[in-house]
Amino acid sequence: MFDPFHDALSGLAAIVGDKHVIASGPDQEPYVVDWRGRYHGRAVAVVKPGSTAEVASVVKYCAGKGLTIVPQGGNTGMCGAATPDDRAGNVVIRLDRMRTVRDVSPLANTITVEAGCILAEVQNAARAVDRHFPLSLGAEGSCQIGGNISTNAGGTAVLRYGPTRDLVLGLEVVLPDGRVFDGLRALRKDNTGYALKQLFIGAEGTLGIVTAAVLKLFAPPRSSALALLKLQGVEQALEIMQRLRGAVGDRLGSLEIMSRSQIEAIAQTVPDVTIPFELTTPWYLIVELTDTLAGVDLDELLAAALAEAMDAGLADDVILASNLAQAKAIWAVRHSVSEGNKRSGYVVSHDSVVPLERQAAFVTKVDARIKAAVPHARVVMHGHIGDGNIHVIALVDRAYCQDPGTTAALVAQINEIVDDETAAQGGAISAEHGIGITNRGRLARVADSLDIELMRGIKQLLDPDGLMNPGKIFGAGAA
């Protein structure tokens, strides 16, 4: 039988070298399966170019051969956006070799990096010049900055610094036909026409491959204070946040909430993480203050503000971290939620964002509805309450998920509950994880038809042949 892609390996190897092309087989496994093991695809080749010029040549070659392109960062995403499907002709493009820090400017407070840089490497490069890159995720030791940009990653510092979109000044992008969009400018003000870079931030690799970026840097935090609060409900967390914003202003750096059930899942499945506090209330709130000035007594400031909250009956208990080790132990719990959930069962996760004032109603209603509809599901929650983004997760015993059809129906039932409550509270179904494969059916169900029409129009303009990360964002849903 004629194989239209029989010469792809040699053609791609001619561009990047034999050792940077991985043919189909066991060596491809880490690149064709998503982090959660939910999606299994196939690829003609996994290609690792070493420069923007090589990326452009690979993309142009693929376009000429009709090969579909799947850009992939650290493959740590939650929605399968970086995983190939099972069609013939997929080429996964990884930028692992493109990890150069091209420039750091303490004067301009910018850093220019290639897209294959690990997030922690960007943080360290900023730290080396006494600056701070604030994007922080549980996967920061393995996720790549190109993937962070392509998914508009959020993380635990959005409250103070904004999502990835707010941290990007300029981009270099290889377009679906192999041309290079050179928007790699470190300008704080640029009003010359449309802000084209914004098209590629959060586009999940469907419009092009980000190869480099100019990112904003900030003065590093030199003083900090952290506390964990035990609460009866989300309402108390919101009142505490309002009080803190009045008392400490922009020093409020992070505000993270976890349900007791979420922490219990971690305690039961992640043995290397110790829970450094007793579980005595339904909710737990992490509050972190930071200041760029050294020697500022934030502990006293935080203690005073939280004492007032205690006096007002807003918290059952407050644990102030007395040293860095205690603070790290508390953060270790928060950063283990994904691992704990993955080990606890079949994960049906959600990334809803609702207006701040409506978070308490959202949490209460969605929890009750899931438990009533699927009694065997374990509902856990965590998230960035200061951003309106609480992740609702239903953990289902894998014994209920042996049959694909039954699993799909169960997932659809839970998704519909969460999506309906999200809409009822004036929210959106994805705050930071994106659409990918997992949420494309949900997007089609809840999105405004004009929104979809405009997005499809942009896709058609930039990728008329549909070769760039096909099957992501648009299309039929999947569990």
Side-chain angles (χ1 to χ4, degrees), residues 274-338:
T274 300
I275 311 301
F277 45 86
E278 289 187 85
L279 299 181
T280 56
T281 55
W283 292 93
Y284 298 81
L285 183 70
I286 298 173
V287 178
E288 185 174 54
L289 306 186
T290 61
D291 199 299
T292 58
L293 299 177
V296 177
D297 193 349
L298 294 180
D299 287 318
E300 182 177 345
L301 185 64
L302 182 57
L306 296 182
E308 291 183 5
M310 287 280 288
D311 291 342
L314 297 174
D316 286 28
D317 194 12
V318 173
I319 301 171
L320 289 166
S322 59
N323 53 53
L324 183 60
Q326 287 185 345
K328 285 184 175 180
I330 291 172
W331 273 121
V333 179
R334 173 63 183 87
H335 287 312
S336 298
V337 294
S338 295

Side-chain angles (χ1 to χ4, degrees), residues 173-375:
V173 183
V174 174
L175 301 177
D177 59 4
R179 291 180 296 169
V180 178
F181 165 70
D182 183 8
L184 207 61
R185 292 181 288 276
L187 301 175
R188 299 275 171 165
K189 300 171 71 176
D190 184 355
N191 214 21
T192 49
Y194 299 144
L196 296 175
K197 71 179 181 186
Q198 298 293 352
L199 288 175
F200 305 101
I201 302 172
E204 302 182 49
T206 61
L207 302 179
I209 302 177
V210 174
T211 51
V214 183
L215 306 170
K216 295 179 184 177
L217 298 181
F218 299 83
R222 292 185 171 88
S223 301
S224 65
L226 184 136
L228 180 120
L229 286 70
K230 298 183 177 184
L231 310 177
Q232 289 298 322
V234 172
E235 299 91 337
Q236 286 75 28
L238 295 169
E239 177 63 27
I240 289 169
M241 179 177 71
Q242 182 171 303
R243 287 169 174 253
L244 285 170
R245 280 181 159 164
V248 304
D250 287 343
R251 287 167 166 165
L252 181 57
S254 295
L255 204 67
E256 298 290 306
I257 198 165
M258 295 176 285
S259 67
R260 175 172 178 161
S261 58
Q262 175 64 87
I263 300 174
E264 288 173 339
I266 296 168
Q268 292 163 8
T269 61
V270 188
D272 57 332
V273 172
T274 300
I275 311 301
F277 45 86
E278 289 187 85
L279 299 181
T280 56
T281 55
W283 292 93
Y284 298 81
L285 183 70
I286 298 173
V287 178
E288 185 174 54
L289 306 186
T290 61
D291 199 299
T292 58
L293 299 177
V296 177
D297 193 349
L298 294 180
D299 287 318
E300 182 177 345
L301 185 64
L302 182 57
L306 296 182
E308 291 183 5
M310 287 280 288
D311 291 342
L314 297 174
D316 286 28
D317 194 12
V318 173
I319 301 171
L320 289 166
S322 59
N323 53 53
L324 183 60
Q326 287 185 345
K328 285 184 175 180
I330 291 172
W331 273 121
V333 179
R334 173 63 183 87
H335 287 312
S336 298
V337 294
S338 295
E339 189 63 35
N341 291 341
K342 179 182 177 182
R343 297 180 182 186
S344 296
Y346 188 93
V347 180
V348 186
S349 62
H350 304 89
D351 183 32
S352 296
V353 56
V354 300
L356 297 184
E357 298 85 351
R358 299 183 182 180
Q359 287 184 94
F362 170 72
V363 164
T364 300
K365 291 181 179 181
V366 79
D367 180 70
R369 285 191 60 186
I370 293 175
K371 288 177 178 176
V374 190

Side-chain angles (χ1 to χ4, degrees), residues 405-465:
T406 302
T407 302
L410 178 67
V411 170
Q413 182 181 21
I414 296 172
N415 285 346
E416 186 169 337
I417 291 171
V418 176
D419 294 347
D420 286 350
E421 290 299 334
T422 300
Q425 302 303 330
I429 66 167
S430 180
E432 59 183 2
H433 290 168
I435 303 302
I437 299 172
T438 304
N439 295 326
R440 59 191 180 183
R442 297 172 62 203
L443 178 69
R445 176 175 173 267
V446 305
D448 182 87
S449 59
L450 179 58
D451 290 354
I452 296 293
E453 180 183 338
L454 292 173
M455 286 191 284
R456 286 189 178 278
I458 293 169
K459 173 71 170 173
Q460 178 65 26
L461 175 67
L462 293 177
D463 184 22
D465 296 324

